[in-house]
Amino acid sequence: MAEALHKTESSSIYERDPRSLDALRASLRKLQTYGITYAEISEATGVNRSTISQFANKNEPTTYANVDKLQAYVSQRETEINPIAAETTAQQGAQTIGLWMTEEYQAAMGWMHYIWGHRKMGVLVGAPGTGKTTILKQFLKDVPGAVYIEAQPNMRCKDLFNAIANGAGIQLGRGNAYERFASLLDGLRGRSDIMILVDEAEYLHKWDADKFEYLRKIWDNTGTPVVLCGTNALELLLTRGAGRQNLAQLYRRKYELQLKGITAKAILTHLRQYNLTTDAATMLSEIGADTQHGGLGNLVEILELCLETAAGGPIDAEMVRSAKRYKLMYSR
């Protein structure tokens, strides 16, 4: 026999078609890519976790009863995570990409408002494509007095002073660096409407270390909330410094939030609004969950190309592949 199932139990389709066992195993393994663990499956079905793992990964036999329970669970979960059901593929999907209110996004916005309301210094860290810039710019809509600064590799202290002053509507004099900074502090004191948001803040360490120290002094002397936003390179700078930099004083003052990115399972729920084939949706979800290669930012650009190509029609896997190749070719 192809499968050694216990004959004492009621028969099922798996006795007549052993190939279905392989399909079930593949489905169980696929659920793992959506963050559904064997422990979660075990709790829902009553089948031992070890039994599930050995059945799915090592082709170990199990009872007909277990197989039927696992198949029922898989069928239910695949329906939930399947982004486009067969009967809806012909329907017109969304044609634009709006803001995705993920759990991580909502948590980050709550954290931003906490930093704002409690006048703290915060550090927002995440890999490229995890939504850091989107969070900052969306926050600007809630707090118009926030000053957004995109740090540049060639930015010096005077450039930082000017960017803050211009955003806050403060007129700086023409004195030396000490006098200009003192003028900036005077302009910020007593202002409850200002918050400083520095994107790609790891670039602040270029040329000199003083820019981090000046931001700390701004917070210390005026209580102006500050958020430094960047990749893990920023985290390393603040914990270890670079060269002779000593950023311990700033590090002790900071409140940190790390973005992990969105899971493939969560992405699929957002992709339901678009006219996608199942294969295309799966590919896009994997692209968005890959924070090592652009994550959600990469997904948005590729989906935009697909929507333009499809022109209202369904998006299939080949369109996704073509958009991915196009992006890799022209985004450098």
Side-chain angles (χ1 to χ4, degrees):
M1 266 188 71
E3 289 291 343
L5 297 178
H6 297 293
K7 289 296 188 177
T8 57
E9 302 190 33
S10 60
S11 181
S12 68
I13 63 169
Y14 302 100
E15 183 179 13
R16 299 189 298 273
D17 184 10
R19 291 173 301 178
S20 295
L21 289 168
D22 293 332
L24 176 58
R25 291 187 177 104
S27 295
L28 288 168
R29 292 193 296 269
K30 186 176 182 180
L31 289 180
Q32 307 298 288
T33 67
Y34 300 120
I36 302 173
T37 66
Y38 290 145
E40 182 179 346
I41 298 173
S42 174
E43 183 177 354
T45 62
V47 180
N48 182 272
R49 186 199 63 78
S50 178
T51 299
I52 297 172
S53 177
Q54 291 177 1
F55 172 76
N57 300 320
K58 298 182 179 180
N59 291 350
E60 290 290 332
T62 188
T63 66
Y64 282 123
N66 283 346
V67 167
D68 290 338
K69 290 175 183 177
L70 293 174
Q71 181 57 59
Y73 179 84
V74 164
S75 298
Q76 177 187 353
R77 295 312 299 263
E78 285 185 336
T79 299
E80 292 174 0
I81 65 177
N82 186 358
I84 302 293
E87 63 269 19
T88 63
T89 53
Q91 295 179 0
Q92 181 79 5
Q95 297 300 301
T96 59
I97 303 175
L99 180 66
W100 289 5
M101 304 286 286
T102 66
E103 289 184 12
E104 189 168 64
Y105 167 84
Q106 295 180 61
M109 289 299 290
W111 178 84
M112 290 286 294
H113 280 278
Y114 174 85
I115 297 296
W116 163 249
H118 291 79
R119 320 293 290 175
K120 300 295 185 180
M121 174 172 278
V123 176
L124 183 63
V125 176
T130 51
K132 302 184 301 297
T133 299
T134 298
I135 290 166
L136 294 187
K137 291 189 174 180
Q138 194 66 25
F139 183 77
L140 290 173
K141 298 178 181 180
D142 295 341
V143 183
V147 178
Y148 175 83
I149 300 168
E150 183 179 350
Q152 302 293 334
N154 60 346
M155 177 178 278
R156 296 180 182 270
C157 289
K158 66 177 182 180
D159 301 316
L160 178 62
F161 298 166
N162 288 337
I164 297 171
N166 291 338
I170 298 170
Q171 186 69 38
L172 299 182
R174 294 188 176 184
N176 58 33
Y178 173 82
E179 293 170 332
R180 290 171 62 80
F181 184 64
S183 178
L184 179 61
L185 292 180
D186 287 341
L188 290 172
R189 286 191 181 96
R191 293 281 298 273
S192 60
D193 60 322
I194 302 299
M195 181 172 179
I196 300 171
L197 312 176
V198 184
D199 202 0
E200 300 191 44
E202 57 265 33
Y203 286 129
L204 292 178
H205 87 281
K206 302 290 185 180
W207 295 101
D208 52 54
D210 292 341
K211 292 187 288 294
F212 283 114
E213 183 65 10
Y214 277 123
L215 287 169
R216 181 188 68 80
K217 287 183 177 293
I218 286 174
W219 182 77
D220 277 346
N221 287 277
T222 70
T224 302
V226 177
V227 168
L228 303 176
C229 180
T231 64
N232 290 332
L234 174 62
E235 170 72 7
L236 290 175
L237 278 171
L238 296 179
T239 54
R240 302 180 186 178
R244 291 174 293 182
Q245 295 185 27
N246 183 357
L247 303 176
Q249 291 193 64
L250 187 150
Y251 184 78
R252 286 196 299 268
R253 289 164 169 77
K254 74 182 180 66
Y255 285 70
E256 182 173 325
L257 178 66
Q258 290 202 0
L259 300 180
K260 303 298 184 182
I262 189 171
T263 65
K265 178 181 176 182
I267 290 171
L268 286 170
T269 64
H270 292 282
L271 290 177
R272 292 177 185 272
Q273 61 188 295
Y274 302 99
N275 191 354
L276 305 170
T277 65
T278 298
D279 287 347
T282 299
M283 290 177 63
L284 287 169
S285 69
E286 292 170 353
I287 290 170
D290 184 3
T291 57
Q292 298 300 313
H293 299 91
L296 195 55
N298 198 24
L299 164 63
V300 168
E301 292 183 32
I302 291 173
L303 180 55
E304 285 177 339
L305 290 171
C306 290
L307 288 170
E308 183 178 349
T309 301
I315 295 172
D316 59 25
E318 184 53 39
M319 287 184 189
V320 177
R321 294 189 193 97
S322 296
K324 187 176 180 180
R325 288 194 296 268
Y326 181 90
K327 182 180 181 301
L328 289 173
M329 188 179 302
Y330 293 104
S331 63
R332 298 184 183 279

